[in-house]
């Protein structure tokens, strides 16, 4: 078990590297992954089941202890990223499939790695976890509603089908994970040491499958999509920080809001795009999955070094 824990921790700590590696494998060796295209929802369900295994009452204690902070974080997430996506799609006159894909990833709940980045940045992890949990649990209503509102001008959106799909691949696995943890607590806690490895494997496979399926589209439109994803993610961080500062949050809370705003559950975006829209619509989610882990790691490191420098400057001279 110690060996499994060490391997799992190593894989989790080097998550960004594995995402990039599998994205490259999907691009250069698509035949390895395209046969798994029907398993994207299953892979996402595995990730969400693992999230359910790790949830505890403490994750929701902050909702009742600091309801305003959590509400502001969730509202900011579901306003800033969807409207940014819509604004970029209109301003850059994106092709319909790419526009829908960008809006789709913008309307997803917080990313699964956002809490890790908040921790590395020395931010308010408890607040970040609560925001991520709440944004995920309300996703069956919030995500389809925002997609229908913002993407309808490019193509027909079936909100009912999206709701059912999110319930199936997100909420049901989370509930099953919570139930398993309640019934088999010791076994569930023992199994969590392997979760970083399992979750990382599932996410990188989703990325590789989507990239492999859309190799020709990426060759044709990859630079455009990558530029839009960088803008979307970067502006999300910036506006998340400004929003948190505007409502009077302290620096630790601002860091949590930054990552809960700018990082998306891009696996859900890829799953929904593959199931309900044209394959090209899944590419922004795949590229977002690669990029936000790189940018999040860099930003978290900068935040942490800045905090350490300020802490050192505040120490009295010996």
């Amino acid at each position: 078990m110690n060996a499994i824990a060490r391997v799992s921790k190593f894989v989790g700590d080097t998550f960004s590297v594995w995402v990039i590696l599998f994205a490259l494998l999907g691009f250069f060796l698509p035949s390895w992954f395209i046969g798994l295209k029907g398993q994207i929802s299953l892979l996402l369900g595995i990730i969400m089941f693992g999230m359910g295994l790790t949830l505890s009452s403490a994750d929701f204690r902050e909702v009742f202890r600091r309801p305003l902070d959590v509400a502001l974080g969730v509202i900011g997430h579901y306003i800033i990223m969807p409207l940014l996506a819509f604004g970029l799609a209109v301003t850059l006159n994106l092709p319909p499939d790419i526009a829908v894909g960008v809006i789709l990833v913008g309307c997803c709940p917080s990313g699964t790695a956002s809490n890790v980045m908040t921790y590395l940045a020395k931010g308010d992890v408890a607040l970040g976890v609560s925001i991520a949990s709440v944004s995920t649990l309300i996703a069956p209503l919030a995500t389809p509603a925002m997609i229908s509102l913002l993407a309808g001008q490019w193509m027909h959106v079936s909100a009912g089908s999206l709701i059912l799909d999110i319930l199936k691949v997100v909420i049901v696995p989370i509930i099953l994970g919570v139930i398993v943890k309640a019934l088999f607590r010791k076994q569930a806690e023992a199994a969590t040491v392997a979760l970083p490895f399992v979750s990382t494997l599932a996410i990188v496979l989703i990325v590789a499958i989507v990239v492999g399926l859309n190799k020709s589209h990426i060759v044709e439109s990859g630079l455009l999509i990558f530029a839009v994803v960088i803008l979307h993610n970067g502006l999300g961080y910036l506006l998340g920080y400004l929003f948190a500062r505007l409502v009077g949050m302290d620096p630790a809370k601002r860091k949590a809001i930054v990552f809960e705003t700018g990082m998306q559950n891009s696996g859900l975006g890829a799953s929904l795009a593959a199931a309900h829209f044209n394959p090209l619509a899944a590419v922004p989610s795949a590229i977002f999955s690669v990029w936000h882990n790189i940018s999040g790691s860099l930003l978290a490191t900068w935040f942490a070094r800045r905090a350490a420098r300020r802490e050192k400057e505040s120490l009295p001279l010996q």
Side-chain angles (χ1 to χ4, degrees):
M1 186 60 74
N2 288 336
I4 295 173
R6 286 196 297 270
V7 171
S8 187
K9 184 179 185 302
F10 170 75
V11 171
D13 290 345
T14 54
F15 178 72
S16 299
V17 175
W18 296 107
V19 173
I20 296 170
L21 174 62
F22 273 75
L24 292 172
L25 287 173
F27 185 82
F28 290 107
L29 299 167
S31 61
W32 286 16
F33 302 101
I34 57 177
L36 299 172
K37 63 181 180 181
Q39 308 305 318
I40 292 177
S41 294
L42 174 62
L43 292 168
L44 181 61
I46 291 171
I47 298 167
M48 294 297 103
F49 177 78
M51 179 180 177
L53 284 179
T54 62
L55 285 178
S56 67
S57 59
D59 297 328
F60 298 97
R61 200 171 294 148
E62 297 299 304
V63 178
F64 301 102
R65 196 168 73 86
R66 297 187 285 176
L68 182 59
D69 288 342
V70 176
L72 286 171
V74 173
I75 291 169
H77 176 86
Y78 277 117
I79 290 178
I80 291 171
M81 291 303 278
L83 292 184
L84 269 177
F86 179 79
L88 288 170
V90 172
T91 303
L92 300 176
N93 194 27
L94 297 178
D97 290 326
I98 297 176
V100 170
V102 171
I103 290 171
L104 180 55
V105 74
C107 294
C108 286
S110 298
T112 52
S114 56
N115 304 144
V116 176
M117 302 306 172
T118 301
Y119 170 77
L120 294 175
K122 302 185 185 302
D124 191 330
V125 178
L127 177 61
V129 170
S130 294
I131 293 170
S133 300
V134 173
S135 73
T136 299
L137 292 177
I138 68 171
L141 295 178
T143 297
M146 295 302 296
I147 294 172
S148 297
L149 177 66
L150 300 176
Q153 74 177 65
W154 283 279
M155 61 181 62
H156 172 70
V157 177
S158 174
S161 296
L162 289 174
I163 290 171
L164 290 175
D165 220 19
I166 296 173
L167 285 171
K168 181 176 69 176
V169 301
V170 175
I171 303 302
V172 171
I174 288 176
I175 292 173
L176 287 175
V178 171
I179 292 172
V180 168
K181 182 178 180 179
L183 294 177
F184 309 99
R185 181 169 297 275
K186 288 185 178 180
Q187 295 90 332
E189 289 176 356
T192 56
V193 299
L195 282 181
F197 174 78
V198 174
S199 297
T200 297
L201 179 61
I203 291 171
V204 299
L205 282 175
I206 291 173
V207 170
I209 294 165
V210 173
V211 170
L213 288 170
N214 291 279
K215 178 177 179 177
S216 60
H217 295 307
I218 292 172
V219 170
E220 182 180 342
S221 307
L223 288 177
L224 171 63
I225 299 174
F226 204 88
V228 173
V229 164
I230 292 175
L231 280 172
H232 192 194
N233 176 236
L235 289 173
Y237 290 146
L238 176 62
L239 293 181
Y241 182 86
L242 294 176
F243 171 72
R245 187 172 181 175
L246 179 66
V247 298
M249 291 185 175
D250 63 39
K253 292 179 183 178
R254 290 177 204 166
K255 293 173 188 176
I257 298 297
V258 164
F259 293 112
E260 295 307 326
T261 300
M263 301 188 76
Q264 304 293 92
N265 188 337
S266 46
L268 175 60
S271 176
L272 294 176
H276 299 276
F277 303 103
N278 293 332
L280 182 56
V283 176
S285 291
I287 293 179
F288 202 102
S289 184
V290 176
W291 174 251
H292 79 165
N293 283 292
I294 298 172
S295 65
S297 299
L298 293 172
L299 184 58
T301 300
W302 181 79
F303 271 136
R305 288 179 178 173
R306 188 178 179 211
R309 186 169 61 250
R310 286 186 172 182
E311 185 177 325
K312 184 178 180 181
E313 289 172 354
S314 68
L315 291 174
L317 293 175
Q318 299 296 322

